[in-house]
Amino acid sequence: MPAAVFRHELRELFRLAVPLAAAQAGSQLMGLVDVAVLGRYGARELAAAGLGNAFFFAFAIIGMGIVLGVDPLVSQAVGAGDHQGARRIFWQGIWLAIVIAGVLTAILLVATLLLPAIGAEAELIDPAQTYLFIRIVSLLPHLLFYVARSYLQALGITRPLLVSMVIANVFNLFATVVLVFGGSVLPSWTGPLRVIPSLGIAGAAIATVLCTTLQLAIVAFAIRAIEVPGRVNHRWSSREVAQAFRVGTPVGLQMGAEVGIFALVGVLAARLGTMHLAAHNLVIALASFTFTVALGIAAAGSVRVGIGIGAGDRHATRSAGHAAFIGGILVMGVAASLFAFMPRALARMVTDQEAVIATAIPLMLVAAVFQLSDGIQAVGAGVLRGAADTTYAFLANLIGHWFVGLPTALYLGFYKEMGVVGLWWGLCAGLTVVAILLFIRFERRSAGLIAPVGRQVSRDSVS
């Protein structure tokens, strides 16, 4: 591959990835603010919110993955110059999100009622259930936002995503502090706002629901302003919804396999005690924040690979994937350095409770080790999603996390009595296996011409 061509692709990738990563990081920042505020409210509330979030995302991530089936359909339509088709697929994504949200809401309600059965300390159950019951309301706007994001990023329109991120984060900081601690923390000139009662953990959940809805409203307004030639059919199309579902379901299962193992480790940490769970949640919040940068690069890689495939350009497809892998390694290398050399400073950004910080620092060092693996596997899943090769990514996550990572975590955490640190080394092992498998898969697939998704969905993508 000519060096000039690769440099051009790397520039195009980061031109798209930087705003997408910023938007993704902004979404994660809202969760980090919740952790930081609750970390100052109390260790019990911090642990309970982490437990509630683990349950929420264990199911919500599957819905997010399914609606991301819209990603390759839209980007390949754009690559083929079919902008009317891209808008039509966007609308089918909306219908798909509504159906999936309805199903997952019912499942989450049942799961919330079953929280007492997980064996966590009794003091965590009531606040975790309170948090979850409110948080569930944000599921539909959350999924609709991801559909809108897929459409905008395929068109290279990223400003609305950034605007929504900035506005939502400013509002979230204000809303979370006020709703958690009460209006008494405000200056006297705020008047009636000072009568808002302290809602504790429920206040953090309400703030998240409000901010998710606000983000959706902003990007929806932006999409309405995008003109598409001709008349676009907004009505339900069983064929196109089913196509997006077929492509997206392995993505949902893949993301579920990945997030599910982190959620399970959170449950196992809960069995070790409130302090271990609080430390786990603190480091997960920080690691998830750095991971969003890799997700932004993965999203950009997915778009660039999809456009290359839609245009029938094998060289563009391969160079887009390679640029994404290199970009992921670069940014996650920086993140690894921060975790390794500034663990206490990072922990103090989230909480001022020394016992939690001391327990979290060893986890920071494990997180430093798996940053590169985490970035590579995220990018690998993204570029394969652009090629609609989604089943393999699911199988790789299943093998890496559940057949390698989980046994390693249980062995080190409980048999070797390494506690939560041992659990995290298990996560590290699983992420590394997934990263290797996904990179090898892209290398093999991109060596030849990849057919657009319309000609792929009828055959097994693992072959």
Side-chain angles (χ1 to χ4, degrees):
M1 181 195 311
V5 173
F6 183 74
R7 285 196 298 269
H8 169 74
E9 184 56 48
L10 200 59
R11 283 195 300 271
E12 288 299 305
L13 175 87
F14 274 99
R15 183 184 66 81
L16 182 58
V18 168
L20 290 179
Q24 188 78 40
S27 297
Q28 190 63 41
L29 184 59
M30 287 192 285
L32 193 58
V33 166
D34 288 353
V35 171
V37 173
L38 290 173
R40 285 161 173 76
Y41 191 82
R44 171 175 173 264
E45 286 73 19
L46 173 61
L51 185 60
N53 265 324
F55 262 76
F56 177 81
F57 279 107
F59 296 97
I61 200 71
I62 297 175
M64 290 163 57
I66 292 174
V67 300
L68 284 179
V70 173
D71 258 14
L73 299 174
V74 174
S75 61
Q76 291 179 22
V78 171
D82 183 9
H83 289 274
Q84 188 180 74
R87 185 64 160 256
R88 186 181 66 251
I89 293 167
F90 161 70
W91 275 100
Q92 301 313 309
I94 289 177
W95 289 116
L96 178 62
I98 292 171
V99 172
I100 297 302
V103 173
L104 289 179
T105 295
I107 295 173
L108 269 168
L109 288 172
V110 174
T112 303
L113 295 174
L114 295 177
L115 262 179
I118 68 171
E121 294 186 6
E123 66 172 4
L124 301 179
I125 298 301
D126 284 345
Q129 284 183 319
T130 299
Y131 184 88
L132 254 177
F133 276 126
I134 299 170
R135 189 78 165 84
I136 289 171
V137 179
S138 70
L139 180 59
L140 178 58
H142 190 70
L143 297 186
L144 291 173
F145 177 82
Y146 270 82
V147 174
R149 194 194 73 172
S150 293
Y151 179 69
L152 289 170
Q153 71 189 23
L155 295 175
I157 302 173
T158 55
R159 185 175 180 180
L161 298 173
L162 284 172
V163 170
S164 70
M165 179 271 291
V166 172
I167 294 176
N169 270 283
V170 171
F171 179 78
N172 182 62
L173 178 60
F174 171 80
T176 303
V177 171
V178 171
L179 292 176
V180 169
F181 288 100
S184 60
V185 300
L186 296 173
S188 58
W189 57 263
T190 57
L193 293 179
R194 286 175 55 81
V195 303
I196 295 175
S198 171
L199 299 177
I201 195 169
I206 293 170
T208 300
V209 171
L210 294 175
C211 291
T212 304
T213 305
L214 178 60
Q215 277 192 296
L216 175 62
I218 293 170
V219 296
F221 182 79
I223 290 175
R224 281 179 58 89
I226 300 172
E227 296 185 2
V228 177
R231 184 175 179 273
V232 178
N233 183 11
H234 299 169
R235 287 181 289 185
W236 170 283
S237 168
S238 297
R239 181 184 65 83
E240 291 186 320
V241 170
Q243 186 181 56
F245 181 78
R246 283 196 299 271
V247 175
T249 296
V251 181
L253 294 175
Q254 169 241 313
M255 296 173 75
E258 181 180 352
V259 172
I261 193 68
F262 279 85
L264 179 57
V265 167
V267 172
L268 294 173
R271 299 179 71 90
L272 295 171
T274 299
M275 198 59 61
H276 291 278
L277 179 58
H280 167 84
N281 290 334
L282 184 153
V283 184
I284 278 289
L286 292 169
S288 298
F289 185 73
T290 62
F291 181 61
T292 58
V293 182
L295 286 180
I297 294 174
S302 176
V303 171
R304 297 296 299 169
V305 167
I307 289 175
I309 292 172
D313 189 336
R314 179 176 68 86
H315 295 293
T317 300
R318 191 168 174 83
S319 62
H322 287 164
F325 278 115
I326 290 176
I329 290 171
L330 289 174
V331 299
M332 295 306 275
V334 174
S337 299
L338 293 175
F339 278 102
F341 299 113
M342 300 175 58
R344 180 171 292 275
L346 291 176
R348 290 195 67 83
M349 290 171 56
V350 180
T351 184
D352 56 1
Q353 300 189 34
E354 286 299 326
V356 176
I357 293 172
T359 309
I361 286 178
L363 302 185
M364 294 276 199
L365 302 179
V366 182
V369 174
F370 71 56
Q371 290 296 293
L372 290 181
S373 296
D374 211 9
I376 292 171
Q377 66 89 21
V379 170
V383 296
L384 290 176
R385 185 169 69 246
D389 188 359
T390 53
T391 301
Y392 183 88
F394 160 59
L395 294 176
N397 273 267
L398 193 65
I399 292 168
H401 291 305
W402 294 90
F403 289 93
V404 177
L406 179 59
T408 304
L410 293 174
Y411 175 76
L412 296 177
F414 293 97
Y415 182 77
K416 287 294 186 179
E417 299 183 347
M418 293 175 63
V420 70
V421 175
L423 298 179
W424 271 62
W425 279 119
L427 293 177
C428 184
L431 286 167
T432 302
V433 170
V434 176
I436 293 170
L437 291 175
L438 294 183
F439 178 76
I440 292 173
R441 176 66 169 184
F442 179 77
E443 283 296 290
R444 290 179 174 175
R445 286 299 308 277
S446 63
L449 185 66
I450 302 175
V453 66
R455 297 200 294 272
Q456 292 183 45
V457 292
S458 61
R459 69 174 187 263
D460 184 1
S461 63
V462 181
S463 61

